[in-house]
Amino acid sequence: GENVEQHPSTLSVQEGDSAVIKCTYSDSASNYFPWYKQELGKRPQLIIDIRSNVGEKKDQRIAVTLNKTAKHFSLHITETQPEDSAVYFCAASKDTGFQKLVFGTGTRLLVSP
Amino acid sequence: DGGITQSPKYLFRKEGQNVTLSCEQNLNHDAMYWYRQDPGQGLRLIYYSQIVNDFQKGDIAEGYSVSREKKESFPLTVTSAQKNPTAFYLCASKTSGSSYEQYFGPGTRLTVT
């Protein structure tokens, strides 16, 4: 089955710096890659996603890139702010419709003022 | 915090007892999911359901059971056969329409001693 690896497990940056979180997946049939943010004590929320027919997607300070050949995708956060501090999870799925997601193990991002 | 609810927020049980976790959604979503979250392991899929009266095992279904008698409800029973039941349990739902997002509930933290 699908396996998703996520690195780093923790990431500390200064406010205003950029942060990059990387994920690799094993199943070449996967075609949908979401990123979820989970703040302390709260539920995970979708922040951005990408489908396999697209190489990059941006939403304000957040971007995701996908390299299908290498089977890896990355989350990029620019101009980080303290409120970006949270745990970020990547995931992969073979089906956007029903979506049996396989999640990475999470990255704890700490943005220091 | 409307949309998808889980109760209770904290649950304590003695070893050997079955316990049922509630998940209700008023989003009219067809698909519902149960995940288990452990420190450093991300979210792992326990069971999922696409429609009423139908559900499938996820990656870690052993020791768990579910039912889907109503579209709005997807309760999870943690049985005494689950060897390590102490964890944070998250329920999610998703529309079968054009949105790809899985909406998560607030979670139930189960402690078994």
Side-chain angles (χ1 to χ4, degrees):
Chain A
E2 174 67 279
N3 181 53
V4 177
E5 294 190 357
Q6 183 172 348
H7 300 281
S9 57
T10 58
L11 180 58
S12 294
V13 299
Q14 292 291 121
E15 183 176 0
D17 288 349
S18 294
V20 180
I21 302 171
K22 298 181 179 181
C23 289
T24 60
Y25 61 99
S26 60
D27 192 339
S28 56
S30 289
N31 60 9
Y32 174 64
F33 307 93
W35 286 88
Y36 282 80
K37 175 183 179 182
Q38 187 176 28
E39 297 178 34
L40 189 62
K42 296 190 176 180
R43 67 190 78 192
Q45 289 190 295
L46 180 71
I47 56 170
I48 196 167
D49 56 8
I50 193 167
R51 296 182 65 183
S52 59
N53 59 350
V54 176
E56 183 176 4
K57 184 177 178 181
K58 288 184 179 180
D59 183 3
Q60 300 182 351
R61 297 185 297 107
I62 293 173
V64 57
T65 59
L66 171 65
N67 183 326
K68 285 190 295 183
T69 303
K71 289 190 282 188
H72 68 71
F73 56 112
S74 300
L75 178 71
H76 304 254
I77 306 174
T78 59
E79 301 173 20
T80 53
Q81 302 166 3
E83 51 265 39
D84 294 329
S85 296
V87 178
Y88 293 81
F89 293 97
C90 63
S93 171
K94 289 190 258 192
D95 175 11
T96 55
F98 171 62
Q99 246 188 59
K100 182 173 176 286
L101 290 174
V102 177
F103 283 85
T105 50
T107 295
R108 183 174 299 278
L109 174 64
L110 176 61
V111 181
S112 303
Chain B
D1 277 353
I4 181 165
T5 58
Q6 292 183 242
S7 61
K9 188 171 183 179
Y10 298 96
L11 193 53
F12 298 89
R13 281 294 183 270
K14 294 289 187 184
E15 199 172 308
Q17 293 179 336
N18 291 356
V19 58
T20 298
L21 282 59
S22 166
C23 177
E24 303 279 333
Q25 53 99 0
N26 62 3
L27 301 167
N28 199 34
H29 286 175
D30 293 306
M32 296 189 75
Y33 310 79
W34 273 106
Y35 294 94
R36 170 179 172 140
Q37 186 173 24
D38 295 284
Q41 294 197 50
L43 282 72
R44 293 182 291 167
L45 183 64
I46 305 172
Y47 266 98
Y48 56 104
S49 169
Q50 291 182 269
I51 56 172
V52 175
N53 293 322
D54 184 56
F55 48 84
Q56 288 81 41
K57 293 182 179 180
D59 299 319
I60 56 165
E62 185 176 350
Y64 300 98
S65 65
V66 294
S67 62
R68 186 87 187 274
E69 296 177 1
K70 299 187 299 181
K71 188 175 186 178
E72 303 79 18
S73 179
F74 191 41
L76 173 74
T77 297
V78 184
T79 75
S80 56
Q82 168 49 233
K83 290 183 172 54
N84 185 20
T86 295
F88 188 55
Y89 291 88
L90 284 160
C91 179
S93 69
K94 181 189 172 296
T95 180
S96 56
S98 58
S99 172
Y100 300 150
E101 181 171 3
Q102 287 192 21
Y103 289 86
F104 284 85
T108 292
R109 187 165 298 279
L110 173 65
T111 302
V112 177
T113 58

